[in-house]
Amino acid sequence: LGAFNIIGLTIVDFRITGVQILSAVGIACVTEIVLIARQDRVIAFPASGLISGLGLAFLLRSDSPYLLHGLCGFLSIASKYAIRIEGKHIYNPTNFGIVLLLLLFPDNAWITGGAWGTYFVFVIEAVNIALFVGYRVGRFHVAIAWYGTLGLLLLMQAAFTELPVYTVRDRMQNGVLIIFTFFMITDPKTSPNTWSGRVVYAAATAVVAFILMVAEVRFAAFFALFFIRVSRLRVVACAGTCDAGEARQSWRRIVNSRFGRIEGQTLGR
Protein backbone atom coordinates (compact mmCIF):
# COMPACT_ATOMS: atom_id res chain seq x y z
CA LEU A 1 0.00 0.00 0.00
CA GLY A 2 2.89 2.32 0.68
CA ALA A 3 4.27 1.61 -2.78
CA PHE A 4 0.87 2.34 -4.32
CA ASN A 5 0.74 5.73 -2.62
CA ILE A 6 4.27 6.60 -3.72
CA ILE A 7 3.45 5.62 -7.31
CA GLY A 8 0.27 7.68 -7.06
CA LEU A 9 2.31 10.73 -6.07
CA THR A 10 5.12 10.34 -8.58
CA ILE A 11 3.98 8.36 -11.64
CA VAL A 12 0.20 8.03 -11.77
CA ASP A 13 -1.95 11.06 -11.03
CA PHE A 14 -4.04 9.83 -8.10
CA ARG A 15 -4.95 13.39 -7.14
CA ILE A 16 -3.71 13.09 -3.59
CA THR A 17 -1.10 15.17 -1.81
CA GLY A 18 1.72 14.17 0.47
CA VAL A 19 0.08 16.17 3.27
CA GLN A 20 -3.12 14.13 2.95
CA ILE A 21 -1.16 10.87 3.09
CA LEU A 22 0.83 12.03 6.13
CA SER A 23 -2.34 13.21 7.81
CA ALA A 24 -4.12 9.88 7.33
CA VAL A 25 -1.16 7.72 8.32
CA GLY A 26 0.02 9.97 11.16
CA ILE A 27 -3.36 10.33 12.88
CA ALA A 28 -4.14 6.63 12.47
CA CYS A 29 -0.79 5.63 13.99
CA VAL A 30 -0.98 8.11 16.87
CA THR A 31 -4.54 7.03 17.64
CA GLU A 32 -3.54 3.37 17.82
CA ILE A 33 -0.49 4.09 19.99
CA VAL A 34 -2.66 6.03 22.45
CA LEU A 35 -5.44 3.43 22.56
CA ILE A 36 -3.03 0.51 22.99
CA ALA A 37 -1.24 2.39 25.77
CA ARG A 38 -4.56 3.10 27.48
CA GLN A 39 -5.79 -0.47 27.13
CA ASP A 40 -2.64 -2.55 27.69
CA ARG A 41 -0.31 -0.05 29.38
CA VAL A 42 2.38 -0.61 26.76
CA ILE A 43 3.81 1.33 23.86
CA ALA A 44 3.50 -0.83 20.74
CA PHE A 45 4.23 -0.38 17.07
CA PRO A 46 0.99 0.75 15.37
CA ALA A 47 0.93 -1.85 12.59
CA SER A 48 -2.83 -1.64 12.10
CA GLY A 49 -2.68 2.16 12.14
CA LEU A 50 0.00 2.15 9.46
CA ILE A 51 -1.88 -0.27 7.19
CA SER A 52 -5.24 1.47 7.68
CA GLY A 53 -3.73 4.90 7.13
CA LEU A 54 -2.00 3.87 3.92
CA GLY A 55 -5.16 2.11 2.73
CA LEU A 56 -7.48 5.04 3.26
CA ALA A 57 -4.91 7.44 1.81
CA PHE A 58 -4.83 5.30 -1.32
CA LEU A 59 -8.62 5.07 -1.65
CA LEU A 60 -10.06 8.26 -0.16
CA ARG A 61 -10.22 11.56 -2.01
CA SER A 62 -11.31 14.84 -0.47
CA ASP A 63 -11.40 18.54 -1.21
CA SER A 64 -9.99 19.17 2.27
CA PRO A 65 -6.21 19.73 2.40
CA TYR A 66 -5.76 17.34 5.34
CA LEU A 67 -8.61 17.48 7.90
CA LEU A 68 -10.90 14.81 6.43
CA HIS A 69 -8.05 12.37 5.87
CA GLY A 70 -6.96 12.88 9.46
CA LEU A 71 -10.52 12.44 10.72
CA CYS A 72 -10.89 9.27 8.69
CA GLY A 73 -7.66 7.90 10.18
CA PHE A 74 -8.96 8.58 13.68
CA LEU A 75 -12.40 7.05 13.05
CA SER A 76 -10.88 3.96 11.43
CA ILE A 77 -8.66 3.04 14.37
CA ALA A 78 -11.10 4.21 17.06
CA SER A 79 -13.73 1.81 15.66
CA LYS A 80 -11.32 -1.08 16.14
CA TYR A 81 -11.21 -0.52 19.90
CA ALA A 82 -14.67 0.93 20.53
CA ILE A 83 -16.88 -1.52 18.60
CA ARG A 84 -16.06 -5.07 19.63
CA ILE A 85 -17.92 -8.32 20.12
CA GLU A 86 -16.44 -11.27 22.00
CA GLY A 87 -13.09 -9.52 22.11
CA LYS A 88 -12.91 -8.93 18.32
CA HIS A 89 -13.51 -5.80 16.31
CA ILE A 90 -16.25 -6.39 13.77
CA TYR A 91 -15.42 -3.74 11.17
CA ASN A 92 -12.50 -3.53 8.84
CA PRO A 93 -11.05 -0.23 10.15
CA THR A 94 -10.40 1.28 6.72
CA ASN A 95 -13.85 0.36 5.43
CA PHE A 96 -15.52 1.78 8.53
CA GLY A 97 -13.66 5.08 8.37
CA ILE A 98 -14.20 5.62 4.65
CA VAL A 99 -17.92 4.73 4.69
CA LEU A 100 -18.56 6.90 7.74
CA LEU A 101 -16.84 9.82 6.04
CA LEU A 102 -18.87 9.26 2.85
CA LEU A 103 -22.05 9.37 4.93
CA LEU A 104 -21.04 12.41 6.98
CA PHE A 105 -19.47 14.44 4.15
CA PRO A 106 -21.06 13.24 0.89
CA ASP A 107 -20.13 16.46 -0.94
CA ASN A 108 -16.54 16.60 0.26
CA ALA A 109 -15.31 13.00 0.26
CA TRP A 110 -15.33 10.24 -2.33
CA ILE A 111 -13.45 7.09 -3.32
CA THR A 112 -10.98 7.27 -6.16
CA GLY A 113 -12.54 5.91 -9.33
CA GLY A 114 -10.71 5.50 -12.61
CA ALA A 115 -7.41 6.94 -11.45
CA TRP A 116 -5.64 3.82 -12.65
CA GLY A 117 -6.27 4.86 -16.24
CA THR A 118 -4.49 2.76 -18.82
CA TYR A 119 -1.37 2.05 -16.78
CA PHE A 120 -1.48 -1.65 -17.62
CA VAL A 121 1.87 -2.49 -15.98
CA PHE A 122 0.75 -0.83 -12.76
CA VAL A 123 -2.50 -2.80 -12.71
CA ILE A 124 -0.62 -6.07 -13.29
CA GLU A 125 1.76 -5.24 -10.45
CA ALA A 126 -1.17 -4.44 -8.18
CA VAL A 127 -2.76 -7.80 -8.99
CA ASN A 128 0.51 -9.63 -8.26
CA ILE A 129 0.86 -7.93 -4.88
CA ALA A 130 -2.78 -8.59 -4.11
CA LEU A 131 -2.38 -12.30 -4.95
CA PHE A 132 0.64 -12.48 -2.65
CA VAL A 133 -1.36 -10.90 0.16
CA GLY A 134 -4.22 -13.34 -0.44
CA TYR A 135 -1.77 -16.23 -0.23
CA ARG A 136 -0.18 -14.99 2.99
CA VAL A 137 -3.46 -14.47 4.86
CA GLY A 138 -5.02 -17.68 3.53
CA ARG A 139 -8.17 -16.04 2.21
CA PHE A 140 -8.16 -16.93 -1.48
CA HIS A 141 -11.50 -18.67 -1.10
CA VAL A 142 -12.99 -15.43 0.24
CA ALA A 143 -11.70 -13.47 -2.74
CA ILE A 144 -12.98 -16.11 -5.17
CA ALA A 145 -16.42 -16.29 -3.52
CA TRP A 146 -16.77 -12.50 -3.53
CA TYR A 147 -15.34 -11.85 -6.98
CA GLY A 148 -16.98 -14.85 -8.59
CA THR A 149 -20.43 -14.15 -7.17
CA LEU A 150 -20.32 -10.51 -8.16
CA GLY A 151 -19.06 -11.34 -11.64
CA LEU A 152 -21.78 -13.97 -12.14
CA LEU A 153 -24.52 -11.57 -11.05
CA LEU A 154 -23.22 -8.86 -13.37
CA LEU A 155 -23.09 -11.32 -16.28
CA MET A 156 -26.67 -12.38 -15.58
CA GLN A 157 -27.72 -8.74 -15.51
CA ALA A 158 -26.00 -8.14 -18.84
CA ALA A 159 -27.70 -11.20 -20.36
CA PHE A 160 -31.19 -10.24 -19.21
CA THR A 161 -30.91 -6.52 -19.97
CA GLU A 162 -28.83 -6.80 -23.15
CA LEU A 163 -26.05 -4.68 -21.70
CA PRO A 164 -22.72 -4.98 -23.54
CA VAL A 165 -20.45 -7.58 -21.93
CA TYR A 166 -17.59 -5.08 -21.85
CA THR A 167 -19.44 -3.17 -19.13
CA VAL A 168 -18.99 -6.21 -16.89
CA ARG A 169 -15.32 -6.41 -17.85
CA ASP A 170 -14.78 -2.73 -17.03
CA ARG A 171 -16.44 -3.08 -13.64
CA MET A 172 -14.51 -6.19 -12.69
CA GLN A 173 -11.15 -4.75 -13.81
CA ASN A 174 -11.55 -1.64 -11.72
CA GLY A 175 -8.39 -1.10 -9.69
CA VAL A 176 -10.27 -0.08 -6.56
CA LEU A 177 -12.24 -3.35 -6.71
CA ILE A 178 -8.97 -5.29 -6.81
CA ILE A 179 -7.71 -3.47 -3.72
CA PHE A 180 -11.06 -4.00 -1.99
CA THR A 181 -10.95 -7.71 -2.81
CA PHE A 182 -7.51 -8.47 -1.44
CA PHE A 183 -7.01 -5.86 1.27
CA MET A 184 -10.49 -5.36 2.76
CA ILE A 185 -13.03 -8.15 2.40
CA THR A 186 -10.28 -10.75 2.97
CA ASP A 187 -9.26 -9.13 6.27
CA PRO A 188 -8.61 -12.16 8.54
CA LYS A 189 -9.50 -10.19 11.67
CA THR A 190 -13.06 -9.35 10.59
CA SER A 191 -14.06 -12.34 8.48
CA PRO A 192 -15.82 -15.40 10.02
CA ASN A 193 -13.76 -18.11 11.68
CA THR A 194 -14.94 -21.03 9.54
CA TRP A 195 -14.24 -21.77 5.88
CA SER A 196 -17.92 -22.15 4.98
CA GLY A 197 -18.83 -19.08 7.01
CA ARG A 198 -16.28 -16.98 5.10
CA VAL A 199 -17.63 -18.19 1.75
CA VAL A 200 -21.21 -17.32 2.72
CA TYR A 201 -20.01 -13.97 4.09
CA ALA A 202 -18.19 -13.08 0.87
CA ALA A 203 -21.07 -14.22 -1.36
CA ALA A 204 -23.61 -12.30 0.74
CA THR A 205 -21.49 -9.16 0.47
CA ALA A 206 -21.41 -9.61 -3.32
CA VAL A 207 -25.21 -9.94 -3.46
CA VAL A 208 -25.69 -6.76 -1.42
CA ALA A 209 -23.12 -4.94 -3.56
CA PHE A 210 -24.91 -6.05 -6.73
CA ILE A 211 -28.26 -4.81 -5.39
CA LEU A 212 -26.69 -1.45 -4.57
CA MET A 213 -25.12 -1.30 -8.05
CA VAL A 214 -28.50 -1.93 -9.66
CA ALA A 215 -29.89 0.86 -7.48
CA GLU A 216 -27.03 3.05 -8.82
CA VAL A 217 -25.49 3.58 -5.39
CA ARG A 218 -21.94 4.84 -5.70
CA PHE A 219 -19.14 2.89 -4.01
CA ALA A 220 -21.47 -0.10 -3.68
CA ALA A 221 -18.82 -2.61 -2.56
CA PHE A 222 -17.75 -0.48 0.40
CA PHE A 223 -21.31 0.14 1.56
CA ALA A 224 -22.16 -3.54 1.10
CA LEU A 225 -19.33 -4.66 3.36
CA PHE A 226 -20.30 -2.03 5.91
CA PHE A 227 -23.96 -3.13 5.94
CA ILE A 228 -23.00 -6.81 6.17
CA ARG A 229 -20.87 -6.06 9.21
CA VAL A 230 -23.65 -3.97 10.76
CA SER A 231 -26.01 -6.93 10.62
CA ARG A 232 -23.10 -9.23 11.43
CA LEU A 233 -24.92 -12.15 9.84
CA ARG A 234 -23.78 -14.31 12.70
CA VAL A 235 -26.35 -17.01 11.96
CA VAL A 236 -25.60 -17.13 8.24
CA ALA A 237 -21.85 -17.13 8.81
CA CYS A 238 -22.01 -20.40 10.77
CA ALA A 239 -23.83 -22.20 7.95
CA GLY A 240 -22.75 -25.81 7.75
CA THR A 241 -20.70 -25.65 10.97
CA CYS A 242 -23.21 -25.25 13.81
CA ASP A 243 -26.35 -27.04 14.85
CA ALA A 244 -29.80 -25.51 15.27
CA GLY A 245 -29.22 -24.81 18.95
CA GLU A 246 -26.07 -22.83 18.23
CA ALA A 247 -27.87 -20.95 15.45
CA ARG A 248 -30.71 -19.99 17.82
CA GLN A 249 -28.19 -18.87 20.42
CA SER A 250 -26.39 -16.71 17.83
CA TRP A 251 -29.71 -15.22 16.75
CA ARG A 252 -30.57 -14.34 20.36
CA ARG A 253 -27.24 -12.56 20.73
CA ILE A 254 -27.97 -10.53 17.59
CA VAL A 255 -31.43 -9.52 18.85
CA ASN A 256 -30.16 -8.74 22.33
CA SER A 257 -27.33 -6.61 21.00
CA ARG A 258 -29.81 -4.52 19.01
CA PHE A 259 -31.44 -3.44 22.26
CA GLY A 260 -28.29 -3.14 24.29
CA ARG A 261 -28.86 -6.33 26.33
CA ILE A 262 -25.74 -8.23 25.45
CA GLU A 263 -25.19 -11.14 27.78
CA GLY A 264 -21.64 -12.03 28.64
CA GLN A 265 -20.13 -9.91 25.90
CA THR A 266 -17.78 -6.97 25.98
CA LEU A 267 -18.34 -4.29 23.39
CA GLY A 268 -15.20 -2.35 24.22
CA ARG A 269 -13.15 -0.88 26.99
Side-chain angles (χ1 to χ4, degrees), residues 27-40:
I27 296 297
C29 288
V30 170
T31 300
E32 182 162 47
I33 290 173
V34 170
L35 291 177
I36 291 177
R38 180 177 179 272
Q39 175 178 282
D40 301 327

Side-chain angles (χ1 to χ4, degrees), residues 86 261-266:
E86 297 177 349
R261 300 190 301 271
I262 301 178
E263 300 175 3
Q265 296 184 21
T266 302

Side-chain angles (χ1 to χ4, degrees), residues 85-86 232 234 248-267:
I85 290 180
E86 297 177 349
R232 293 191 297 278
R234 296 280 298 280
R248 285 194 297 270
Q249 186 177 8
S250 294
W251 177 252
R252 290 192 191 101
R253 283 198 293 266
I254 294 173
V255 174
N256 288 338
S257 68
R258 287 289 180 268
F259 296 95
R261 300 190 301 271
I262 301 178
E263 300 175 3
Q265 296 184 21
T266 302
L267 289 180

